[in-house]
Amino acid sequence: MISWRDGVVRAVRGSWAGAVELDVDLDRPAGDRSSVRALAYTALVGAPEVGDRVTLTVSALVRGLGTGGYAMVVALPDRLPADPPPGPGHVVKARYTPLQPMVLGVDEQESPWHERMRDADDLGGLAVVVADLHSALPAVLAGVRATGGERKVAYVMTDGGALPLAFSRSVAQLREAGWLAATITAGQAFGGDHEAVNVHTALLAARHVVGADVVVVTQGPGNLGTGTRWGFSGVAAGEAVNAAAVLGGRPVAALRVSEADPRERHRGVSHHSMTAYGRVALRPADVVVPLADGELWARVREQARTLCEPVGRHRLVEVPVAGLREALETSPVRLSTMGRGLGEDAAAFIASAAAGAHAAMETT
């Protein structure tokens, strides 16, 4: 069910690449709200200004969801954007929804990269760091940078969470800071520097078009979970491991770890990682564990060991944590996972940073 509202833009709160954040006064309340914070994707609906009338969907906001808790601008009914100029591309993303965009796929016939991508079939040992949550991305990048040297890093965003890349303010800031060289949106996700049909073609584009040294694969913001063994969008992390391995890459599994989550199933190594890497991933990956003292890390090490047995399934890799906390503190974006920052749940970010450091150190 979708709840619709009309309103008027009272203020523009801010903007980043592809998105504008607004305060909107509603014509009629949404729950107990007469005004809402709203988000507009400029490529889809144009750039709202103060005084514009807007049509919104407010369902996620009324339900009190976290990442998805915005009112979303569907249209500026009195000031529709101009038609885009004619151009190449026939790949439709967010297909058969009212705002489906048509984009140029990196490997489609009209793409300048078509000839290069047509027979591409090998990642040549490219390091591919796979993570469950979008919040792991800046931490993985911090780990890559902690090893020193210049490495070109590409981000492949899957469609398990947000579909528009523009929803992620973190990605925009990481690009501005030079921490990310390129973004590739896979499946139904859209808005990256390159558009890919699936994770396989996204990885091949990272290798053969971007020339990346390291790739990070994770869903966009907004992990979906139902509290059941299989009902979470992060199962795709296991599928990404398979894709990287089938294409001749080197999968690196970043563990979802927490020392502060109140839910027991997410303490130590989350059951999301145990299922995705233990049940879904059928090809071997490097499972990275921070080499550190303490009860938490001993528990993480033991849980990770079960993912690497029998011998030949995955490879347990221990990475020293020296310098990782300092690298995380240099992040150009605020580190936050499930509402907790570096001070509240450092283990979550250190585990991801360790995976990034391992990927970078093994890069040839």
Side-chain angles (χ1 to χ4, degrees), residues 162-173:
L163 297 185
L165 182 81
F167 187 78
S168 177
R169 195 181 319 203
S170 292
V171 167
Q173 294 172 337

Side-chain angles (χ1 to χ4, degrees), residues 280-347:
V280 180
L282 303 178
R283 293 297 189 98
D286 290 351
V287 176
V288 177
V289 175
L291 183 58
D293 296 329
E295 182 178 344
L296 170 72
W297 295 117
R299 177 179 178 177
V300 168
R301 195 172 301 110
E302 185 57 35
Q303 289 172 299
R305 188 172 287 114
T306 67
L307 292 173
C308 301
E309 298 172 353
V311 174
R313 181 75 176 281
H314 297 309
R315 183 167 72 104
L316 181 67
V317 178
E318 294 185 315
V319 173
V321 298
L324 293 184
R325 176 69 183 245
E326 292 77 8
L328 289 164
E329 290 173 346
T330 70
S331 173
V333 305
R334 183 173 66 90
L335 298 175
S336 178
T337 183
M338 308 304 289
R340 298 182 295 272
L342 184 60
E344 293 78 37
D345 201 354

Side-chain angles (χ1 to χ4, degrees), residues 111-144:
S111 168
W113 307 107
H114 175 69
E115 290 301 315
R116 185 175 298 183
M117 290 290 294
R118 183 172 57 184
D119 298 319
D121 193 44
D122 190 354
L123 295 178
L126 178 65
V128 179
V129 182
V130 178
D132 175 10
L133 298 178
H134 186 72
S135 56
L137 175 61
V140 173
L141 297 180
V144 171

Side-chain angles (χ1 to χ4, degrees), residues 127-202:
V128 179
V129 182
V130 178
D132 175 10
L133 298 178
H134 186 72
S135 56
L137 175 61
V140 173
L141 297 180
V144 171
R145 295 176 67 85
T147 63
E150 293 293 330
R151 293 178 179 83
K152 182 180 287 188
V153 185
Y155 169 46
V156 171
M157 190 178 97
T158 67
D159 54 14
L163 297 185
L165 182 81
F167 187 78
S168 177
R169 195 181 319 203
S170 292
V171 167
Q173 294 172 337
L174 290 166
R175 288 300 306 276
E176 290 173 4
W179 281 37
L180 271 179
T183 57
I184 306 168
T185 35
Q188 297 292 303
F190 60 91
D193 298 309
H194 301 286
E195 304 283 359
V197 173
N198 52 45
V199 171
H200 295 73
T201 53

